[in-house]
Amino acid sequence: MTFEKEWAELRSAAAQRSAMQINSAPAEGGGGAGAPDLVVNRDDLGAIGNDAYELRTRLSKDGDHARPATFDAATALTNGNFASGSAVLKVHDFWQKHLKTLLDSCAHISNHLDYTKAQHAKDDVKIGGDLAPISKLSEYMK
């Protein structure tokens, strides 16, 4: 069998599987056992986004408590000719780097979920508007 023939058969089979089905479930196991494949609950998205924002807010305040004391200790140890001064400074810098990464990640999650929540609301309005003319046609067909 040539590549072109095999490719054409695969495309044809895929088109048959994805053909529009109105008022019925897929004939062959596609789409799950009667349950939707994807469910988006805007309240859940908002709650998770809010939790990520609150975590970021608390972490930015509470994660910075030890920074000034750690830096001062590193400076004092270095000025006192202790070798551990540079090690404490490394710990300070390492903590700051990873704290910033974690704060950025929390902000990204919060922003993404806020965007997703708003986008789904817009999509719902658009889909409702797109389906309204079809509903009118269905009334005329009766």
Side-chain angles (χ1 to χ4, degrees):
M1 175 182 293
T2 67
F3 173 78
E4 288 79 16
K5 186 175 179 182
E6 184 178 1
W7 181 246
E9 286 179 10
L10 289 171
R11 284 186 14 217
S12 175
Q16 289 174 356
R17 281 193 310 270
S18 64
M20 181 183 291
Q21 297 177 3
I22 300 174
N23 293 332
S24 68
E28 298 174 1
D37 289 341
L38 174 65
V39 175
V40 177
N41 187 332
R42 280 186 235 129
D43 294 336
D44 292 343
L45 291 177
I48 295 168
N50 188 54
D51 288 346
Y53 177 78
E54 288 178 6
L55 176 62
R56 185 195 182 287
T57 302
R58 286 186 52 216
L59 189 58
S60 66
K61 180 181 133 194
D62 296 342
D64 199 42
H65 282 307
R67 183 189 51 80
T70 304
F71 186 76
D72 291 346
T75 303
L77 288 168
T78 301
N79 290 341
N81 292 324
F82 287 96
S84 60
S86 63
V88 172
L89 186 58
K90 285 181 185 178
V91 169
H92 168 271
D93 294 344
F94 184 81
W95 174 255
Q96 286 305 111
K97 176 183 170 190
H98 289 285
L99 178 62
K100 182 181 179 336
T101 300
L102 187 56
L103 289 170
D104 290 346
S105 297
C106 288
H108 182 73
I109 290 168
S110 176
N111 292 339
H112 178 71
L113 290 174
D114 287 344
Y115 170 81
T116 301
K117 180 179 173 184
Q119 189 61 43
H120 279 290
K122 289 177 187 176
D123 289 346
D124 284 347
V125 169
K126 182 182 181 324
I127 291 168
D130 290 348
L131 292 178
I134 295 171
S135 297
K136 261 315 193 202
L137 285 174
S138 296
E139 287 177 23
Y140 293 127
M141 299 293 278
K142 288 183 182 180

